[in-house]
Amino acid sequence: MKRIEAVNDFVIKFANVNGTGSASANNMFAKSLFRMGLPISPKNIFPSNIQGLPTWYEVRVNEKGYLGRRGGVDMMVCMNPQSMAKDIQEVESGGYFFYDSSKPLDLRMMRSDIHFIGVPLKDLCQREYTDARQQQLFKNIIYVGALSALLDIEFDVLTGLVSDQFRGKEKLITPNVRALEIGYHYAIEHYKCPLGIRVERRDAVGDQILIDGNTAASLGAIYGGATVAAWYPITPSTSVVDGFDKYCKRLRIDPGSGSKNYAIVQAEDELAAIGMVIGASWNGARAFTATSGPGISLMSEFLGLAYFAEIPTVLIDVQRAGPSTGMPTRTQQSDVLACAYASHGDTKHVLLFPSTPRDCFEMTAQAFDLAETLQTPVIMLTDLDLGMNDTMSPPLVWDDTREYERGKVFNEAQLEAMTERFGRYLDVDGDGIPYRTYPGTHPTKGAFFTRGTSRDEYAVYTEDGDAYEKNMQRLLTKWDTAKNLVPMPELIEASKGGTSVGVIHFGTSRDATLEAVDSLAAEGIAVDTLRIKGFPFHKSVDAFIEQHDTVFVVDQNRDAQMRTLLVNECLVSPRDLISILNYNGTPISARKIREEIIAVLRGDNVRPLHKKKMAKESV
């Protein structure tokens, strides 16, 4: 029987039961590879209940640095009888299936093309431990020890991780190391180690760190100058505000008095949370909230108020699978349209699309500058995959000389010198952005009435149609101004150049897309890529679509939401954009993207007829 042979290039997946303590063991396994200098990409796939249902933890090892999901599993570590039949079928031909052999496998589940590795974990635990809880917890550590032998992981790296994890609780170090040794020695004595897949120490990590996007975003809020957070807990965004709270306690305390220079309010619901943020922002604070899809639905009316009244507002949306409650612990990019056009009436909101933890850090800080410069809501759309999974990232760097962009705000001296009437919604320089004031800036000048109803340039209530239309047109002018302020798209041209095939992607589709394109290049198929970082779209997005005969759009949702947004805003025909969709709740894989592109291009690298030209000729 063939076996998969690979060094530092494989996918291993752990199948566990939620609530059994496996998360710590699996995390230890992933970090041991990282400490051996190997790029890793762990993905935690967990249920929304507290315990009892299947959970999976997938670790990709790739010394070339590909961090997206590859697709396929080379080794399955199955600790869950409930999911075992499905888990066995997921293993690639020639791969490995690791299981607890304390009980024999059901012969009906056996496959002749994969290698079964049985370790009697339950029996080993019962011989070593008398306490039932210890038997369950140390079973996880024992299988990590066995994997260290089977995959040739440096044992002292694991013991070092145990020492770090239990620093201050030294009495727990010895039994954990003992559990590692039990698994290690069993594997050495009963199997030829290492297997066909194994690891070797490399220096492919450098100074990179492991960090999740939610933590990075919370740091971005700190460094971006936020002092107020109002929120209502919701998976998977809760840890954004948890992180903000943790860092505020270190960095937002007045050194002289010890008083807090920040406010974090857990509101009664999402409506109250966004209302508080709008109020604090109107008053001059840098404020934000974090939520997920159901929260976006509830916040939409207030977002319309902030758009129409032109109040800076920052919102972090950590997307999950919907609609309704959907799959709250699964990832998707399915809030794109809901956020772009949130609220009734004609609204358009500035969106940011981070792809990495560093993006989360930098774009969160940038969101506050954009919100105040444009006087409008800015929504950063991350997702559960990026938000809750550890990802390799360069260190987060902040320029201490950077100054915040507060936008057009009249101070007291400017108001005092003003002889003309202050017009809150006057466009004095043609960019669509009026001047504003903070409450209480001047005792007699600069006051205005903030309302969600129609008003004239001086903030005076009116239902005059011409005044309303003029105001709405000015908001479109501001929208055009925003096109040059949001982050520019990132273009990567094929090395050979001159290709007529392009792929548009955004957010967490980045890594899988770039790997798929590299794979296609190795097969002689050249593809240009464009990563969208912000909305409204820069003119270069229109140019990219026009310059390529075949354009794919990678969307992690059912309804091709980014493709729809491109059709709406770039005025292209839907026939010009081919969707690559993924919406099963797991991150899209490089294998899926490659296969779908090849399926379209099979037999030729381009479409036989330029459909954009055809549409123009038929007019």
Side-chain angles (χ1 to χ4, degrees), residues 530-560:
L530 187 75
R531 175 163 76 103
I532 292 175
K533 295 183 178 182
F535 176 71
F537 300 129
H538 188 264
K539 62 183 179 180
S540 58
V541 177
D542 302 72
F544 183 86
I545 296 171
E546 181 62 32
Q547 291 163 6
H548 294 83
D549 292 342
T550 306
V551 180
F552 297 90
V553 181
V554 182
D555 258 305
Q556 296 193 68
N557 53 71
R558 185 197 67 181
D559 294 341

Side-chain angles (χ1 to χ4, degrees), residues 9-42:
D9 186 12
F10 58 87
V11 175
I12 182 168
K13 191 171 184 179
F14 297 81
N16 301 99
V17 178
N18 199 34
T20 58
S22 60
S24 295
N26 296 342
N27 186 257
M28 180 192 302
F29 170 85
K31 285 187 175 180
S32 70
L33 305 182
F34 185 72
R35 288 198 177 186
M36 288 180 64
L38 301 176
I40 60 167
S41 179

